[in-house]
């Protein structure tokens, strides 16, 4: 490019003969030309490119509705309506487990009256919901009554957690009560590290169970106790609109009565690497009674899991109930024909039940 092209017209008009003066004017005009704005160029020479790292467009949240039912509960019909949110953002594909979430759940009768409503907060980060909630409804049918069972699922969660359950039934009070004819919850959602035991998972109808020597309908939960599962029964009292631990347990110990229950167990053995080890087997589920016997355990030993003893924990929180067992769980076993109780992690490890979760 020539000097004349860089200089403005007024600069060229004032150039006069005389070498020194001419070069001074040329230098001043070049400085002026250098101050003129130009378009920014990137490293690759492309002009006008937006800066890298610019925020991606916010995802669009679409709404849609799902319906479960209707369910016939003793002459009254109810429908569960699930108001959902779905992300439809641009850019990289979102994790499918975090694209949809439940925003509102309503239980209505045929005339549109809302018997129960619950909202679920949600938060979006980038192209996904931070947490997601889902819900499904099933008929709950027992010998003494029937109702609705709502199962909630949340992500992210622990491997055995994330699910909760809530039982609903018709109000059992007198006809003069304000809640007469209404569908009411029997508790807050029940959370557990485990699962509800059903005959046919996913079936439209869930049948209640029976507990030996106990009157009433029961739901049984398989709950993780750290090394194995214990089975905790919850009793439904339809005439009281309640659900809770089936047994109010009391065990007499050398240190006084304790709220300890006898529970069924489910366990899967993973034999230790050693060909032979031993456990300290006690006749009673108590450190303060008798002397522990050292019993040899081989990799090919015949080992049976007979039951457990523990305190059942039913803890009500602000908006949920936690179901579990106390930390000190005793396990009754039979090793090659010899029966007894163990409860330490060392002994659990020796028989092939390492701690996890």
């Amino acid at each position: 490019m020539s000097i004349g092209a860089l200089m403005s017209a007024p600069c060229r008009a004032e150039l006069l003969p005389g070498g020194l003066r001419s070069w001074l004017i040329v230098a001043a005009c070049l400085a002026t030309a250098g101050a003129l704005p130009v378009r920014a160029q990137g490293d690759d020479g492309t002009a006008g490119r937006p800066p890298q790292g610019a925020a991606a467009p916010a995802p669009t949240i679409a709404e849609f509705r799902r319906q479960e039912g209707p369910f016939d509960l003793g002459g009254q019909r109810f429908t569960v309506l699930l108001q959902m949110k779905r992300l439809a953002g641009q850019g990289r594909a979102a994790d499918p487990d975090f694209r949809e979430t439940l925003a509102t759940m309503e239980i209505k009768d045929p005339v549109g009256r809302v018997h129960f409503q619950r909202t679920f907060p949600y938060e979006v980060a980038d192209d996904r919901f931070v947490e997601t909630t889902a819900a499904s409804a099933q008929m709950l049918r027992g010998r003494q009554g029937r109702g609705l069972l709502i199962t909630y699922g949340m992500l992210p969660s622990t491997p055995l957690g994330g699910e909760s359950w809530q039982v609903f039934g018709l109000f059992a009070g007198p006809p003069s009560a304000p809640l007469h004819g209404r569908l009411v919850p029997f508790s807050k959602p029940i959370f557990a590290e485990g699962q509800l035991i059903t005959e046919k998972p996913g079936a439209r109808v869930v049948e209640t169970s029976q507990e030996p020597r106990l009157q009433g309908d029961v739901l049984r939960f398989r709950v993780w106790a750290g090394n194995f599962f214990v089975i905790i029964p919850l009793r439904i009292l339809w005439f009281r609109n309640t659900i809770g631990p089936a047994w109010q347990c009391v065990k007499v110990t050398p240190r006084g009565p304790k709220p300890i229950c006898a529970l069924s167990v489910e366990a899967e053995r993973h034999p230790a690497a050693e060909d032979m080890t031993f456990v300290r087997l006690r006749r009673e589920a108590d450190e303060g009674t008798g002397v522990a016997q050292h019993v040899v355990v081989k990799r090919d030993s015949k080992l049976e899991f007979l039951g457990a003893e523990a305190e059942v924990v039913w803890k009500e929180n602000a908006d949920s109930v936690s179901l579990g067992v106390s930390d000190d769980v005793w396990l009754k076993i039979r090793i090659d024909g010899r029966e007894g109780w163990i409860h330490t992690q060392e002994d659990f490890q020796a028989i092939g039940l390492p701690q996890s979760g």
Side-chain angles (χ1 to χ4, degrees):
M1 182 180 293
S2 66
I3 294 176
L6 288 172
M7 292 188 300
S8 62
C11 287
R12 290 197 302 269
E14 294 181 4
L15 288 178
L16 298 174
L20 179 59
R21 183 177 182 186
S22 297
W23 280 110
L24 287 174
I25 294 175
V26 169
C29 290
L30 283 172
T32 303
L36 294 176
V38 296
R39 295 182 68 187
Q41 290 187 336
D43 293 338
D44 60 354
T46 304
R49 171 173 295 177
Q52 293 185 358
T60 302
I61 301 179
E63 295 186 357
F64 64 101
R65 178 175 289 188
R66 290 180 177 147
Q67 176 176 312
E68 308 245 345
F71 302 94
D72 189 350
L73 304 181
Q76 295 195 51
R77 297 167 68 86
F78 296 94
T79 301
V80 179
L81 299 175
L82 306 173
Q83 188 69 37
M84 308 293 296
K85 302 286 186 179
R86 176 185 291 156
L87 290 180
Q90 300 176 354
R92 65 185 180 88
D95 186 334
D97 288 335
F98 292 88
R99 288 189 59 207
E100 294 182 4
T101 192
L102 177 62
T104 306
M105 183 184 78
E106 293 181 335
I107 304 177
K108 293 184 176 182
D109 60 21
V111 300
R113 183 172 58 165
V114 176
H115 289 244
F116 180 83
Q117 183 183 65
R118 182 183 175 191
T119 59
F120 301 83
Y122 60 89
E123 179 183 354
V124 177
D126 297 328
D127 61 351
R128 55 184 281 166
F129 290 107
V130 176
E131 295 180 341
T132 61
T133 303
S136 62
Q138 295 165 285
M139 169 84 75
L140 182 62
R141 186 165 59 198
R143 294 185 179 183
Q144 300 180 6
R146 62 174 54 187
L148 281 182
L149 175 67
I150 304 295
T151 301
Y152 306 98
M154 297 182 64
L155 287 175
S157 69
T158 60
L160 292 173
E163 283 192 318
S164 61
W165 302 266
Q166 194 169 22
V167 172
F168 293 81
L170 289 172
F171 179 69
S176 60
L179 291 177
H180 177 68
R182 305 281 291 187
L183 192 74
V184 296
F186 285 14
S187 75
K188 302 168 185 175
I190 302 167
F191 284 83
E193 287 289 315
Q195 309 88 25
L196 171 67
I197 300 174
T198 59
E199 293 183 1
K200 299 177 181 179
R204 181 177 172 84
V205 178
V206 174
E207 303 284 352
T208 63
S209 303
Q210 299 296 309
E211 188 76 0
R213 306 183 307 280
L214 182 71
Q215 295 293 323
D217 295 325
V218 169
L219 290 178
R220 302 169 75 235
F221 291 82
R222 182 186 295 110
V223 178
W224 185 244
N227 304 81
F228 48 87
F229 289 99
V230 295
I231 310 303
I232 301 179
L234 299 183
R235 181 166 62 167
I236 301 170
L237 295 178
W238 302 99
F239 66 94
R240 292 184 179 175
N241 298 133
T242 62
I243 183 173
W247 298 100
Q248 300 298 319
C249 306
V250 178
K251 179 183 178 180
V252 178
T253 73
R255 291 170 299 282
K258 302 289 184 182
I260 296 174
C261 292
L263 303 170
S264 301
V265 299
E266 292 182 7
E268 182 178 351
R269 185 188 181 199
H270 300 277
E274 300 87 350
D275 290 332
M276 183 182 299
T277 184
F278 70 91
V279 295
R280 291 157 296 189
L281 208 60
R282 292 185 175 274
R283 295 183 61 183
E284 302 290 338
D286 196 305
E287 287 278 3
T289 59
V291 178
Q293 302 294 316
H294 288 66
V295 177
V296 173
V297 182
K298 303 176 183 178
R299 287 181 60 87
D300 60 352
S301 288
K302 182 180 180 181
L303 203 147
E304 301 169 77
F305 306 106
L306 306 178
E309 285 191 0
E311 179 183 352
V312 173
V313 177
W314 172 272
K315 183 180 179 181
E316 294 205 25
N317 306 305
D319 54 3
S320 64
V321 176
S322 298
L323 178 64
V325 291
S326 58
D327 293 334
D328 188 18
V329 181
W330 286 80
L331 177 65
K332 189 175 185 180
I333 59 176
R334 182 184 293 125
I335 305 173
D336 296 328
R338 299 185 63 177
E339 292 185 11
W341 294 85
I342 61 175
H343 78 124
T344 67
Q345 288 301 322
E346 185 178 0
D347 288 333
F348 290 150
Q349 181 77 30
I351 65 171
L353 298 179
Q355 187 177 33
S356 64

